[in-house]
Amino acid sequence: MSVVLLILKIIGIVLLAVLGLVLLIVLSVLLAPVRYRIRGSLDPGISVSVRLRWLFPLVSVLLRYEEQELTQKLRVLGIPVSMGRKEPKEERRKRASRKPEEERQERAAQETEKERQQEASQRSEEERQEAAPQAEPPGQEESAKKARSRPGRAGGVLQKGKALLCMIKEKVAKLKEIVHRIFQEIRDETNQNVLRLLLREGKSLLGHYLPRKLAADVRFGMADPAATGQLLGVLSLFPIFLRPGVLIVPDFMAEKIYVTGSFEMSGHVRAVHVLAAAFHLWREQDVKKLIQRVRNRR
């Protein structure tokens, strides 16, 4: 009897350990933040680096775009993990230098082939004309062809015109039906309430996920004082560009469109916020009605 109890005790301990491990993983995924840091430079070219860290130093991802090349690195517990075979930079440069020469050779070969085809077609045309019997004068033959083909051509044009009109009428009818449905959906009170709920939850998620730290020093010009002022007015509508440490300088005297400067932002993302937003939406009766309506239409 004691042996059976001991076995049951061991099994219970193992099950509790497995359950605790699963619970730890779930809580880590939901609660542990994924921290991000984005750095960029716009002068002279575009250079952007994105670093993601989760349960640091468990998982770290680095994405870098520089000189029109994208590099990516993944580390797990500080150990590099391959994310696919990457072609060495020297080989890419050699291949890029060889490419124009190969393109020139290919174009030369195509032109030679075209010349050969033209010569062959000219020879065949001359042989055919020499072997052909004496035909009617060119003017009489052409007028006869036009006279024969005029009735059939007119009928074909009429048929094509009728088919085109029918197609246009069908497209206009479908477009009217789609616009009518859209206005019906917009006027529906349930859909309006769902849209308000989505905007509320989206605003809440943005409050959690927007950068906590932001620094920027950007100068831009649109080659037109009016366009530069309009863009500056649009940017001023977003509170994120009005934070301390964000310097945006418009150049009203610029003669060409340009953007220069650098920026850096950092923040974190938690999956639990998405889960909470989905739960809040699922509790609402209007959302349930909309989901049921979509299912019934299917």
Side-chain angles (χ1 to χ4, degrees):
M1 187 67 181
S2 60
V3 175
V4 175
L5 292 175
L6 180 62
I7 294 173
L8 293 175
K9 183 178 180 181
I10 294 172
I11 293 173
I13 292 173
V14 172
L15 290 177
L16 286 175
V18 172
L19 182 62
L21 181 61
V22 173
L23 184 61
L24 179 62
I25 293 173
V26 172
L27 291 177
S28 298
V29 171
L30 292 177
L31 300 178
V34 178
R35 302 187 181 276
Y36 64 88
R37 175 172 291 177
I38 304 174
R39 294 178 178 177
S41 175
L42 305 174
D43 187 19
I46 299 177
S47 175
V48 181
S49 65
V50 180
R51 183 180 293 275
L52 305 176
R53 294 178 179 177
W54 181 65
L55 289 176
F56 181 77
L58 182 60
V59 180
S60 176
V61 179
L62 177 62
L63 303 174
R64 180 180 289 119
Y65 178 81
E66 190 174 4
E67 295 181 357
Q68 297 183 355
E69 292 183 2
L70 178 64
T71 58
Q72 45 195 352
K73 297 180 182 179
L74 172 63
R75 292 179 179 269
V76 179
L77 291 174
I79 302 173
V81 178
S82 175
M83 299 181 68
R85 183 181 179 277
K86 182 184 175 183
E87 187 180 5
K89 187 179 290 186
E90 294 296 331
E91 292 185 8
R92 288 198 299 270
R93 288 178 179 174
K94 291 180 181 178
R95 181 167 54 82
S97 63
R98 288 196 304 266
K99 189 174 181 181
E101 183 64 26
E102 293 176 357
E103 289 180 352
R104 285 195 293 270
Q105 294 178 359
E106 186 177 355
R107 285 197 297 268
Q110 290 178 356
E111 290 176 358
T112 306
E113 185 65 24
K114 286 181 180 179
E115 291 176 357
R116 291 176 181 174
Q117 291 178 358
Q118 289 177 358
E119 291 177 358
S121 62
Q122 288 177 359
R123 286 198 217 97
S124 61
E125 183 67 22
E126 290 175 357
E127 292 174 357
R128 187 179 62 81
Q129 289 179 358
E130 291 176 357
Q134 186 67 26
E136 296 179 359
Q140 295 180 4
E141 184 179 355
E142 188 175 350
S143 60
K145 287 182 178 179
K146 288 182 178 180
R148 287 195 299 268
S149 62
R150 192 172 295 144
R153 185 180 299 175
V157 170
L158 289 175
Q159 290 180 357
K160 289 181 180 179
K162 290 179 180 179
L164 181 61
L165 288 175
C166 292
M167 185 180 67
I168 292 174
K169 288 181 180 179
E170 291 178 359
K171 295 292 184 182
V172 171
K174 289 182 180 179
L175 182 61
K176 288 182 178 179
E177 185 179 357
I178 292 172
V179 172
H180 181 66
R181 289 181 181 177
I182 291 174
F183 275 106
Q184 280 185 340
E185 296 295 337
I186 292 174
R187 293 193 188 100
D188 188 78
E189 186 177 356
T190 301
N191 294 340
Q192 291 180 357
N193 293 335
V194 171
L195 181 60
R196 293 192 193 97
L197 294 171
L198 289 173
L199 291 176
R200 184 191 68 188
E201 297 300 330
K203 184 178 179 180
S204 176
L205 288 177
L206 284 177
H208 291 294
Y209 293 162
L210 282 177
R212 302 299 177 92
K213 296 180 180 180
L214 176 61
D217 185 1
V218 179
R219 178 183 293 270
F220 71 94
M222 299 299 293
D224 181 12
T228 303
Q230 290 173 359
L231 181 56
L232 182 63
V234 172
L235 294 177
S236 65
L237 296 176
F238 297 92
I240 190 172
F241 296 112
L242 302 178
R243 291 184 178 184
V246 178
L247 180 62
I248 299 178
V249 181
D251 185 1
F252 293 97
M253 304 300 294
E255 297 180 355
K256 61 179 182 179
I257 299 175
Y258 76 94
V259 180
T260 60
S262 60
F263 62 91
E264 180 178 355
M265 61 183 72
S266 60
H268 62 264
V269 176
R270 284 191 174 93
V272 67
H273 295 138
V274 178
L275 187 64
F279 177 72
H280 293 158
L281 292 173
W282 179 76
R283 284 192 314 173
E284 299 292 337
Q285 294 296 325
D286 291 332
V287 177
K288 293 180 179 179
K289 290 179 182 178
L290 181 60
I291 294 174
Q292 188 64 33
R293 187 186 304 171
V294 172
R295 288 180 178 176
N296 293 335
R297 287 179 182 176
R298 290 181 180 178

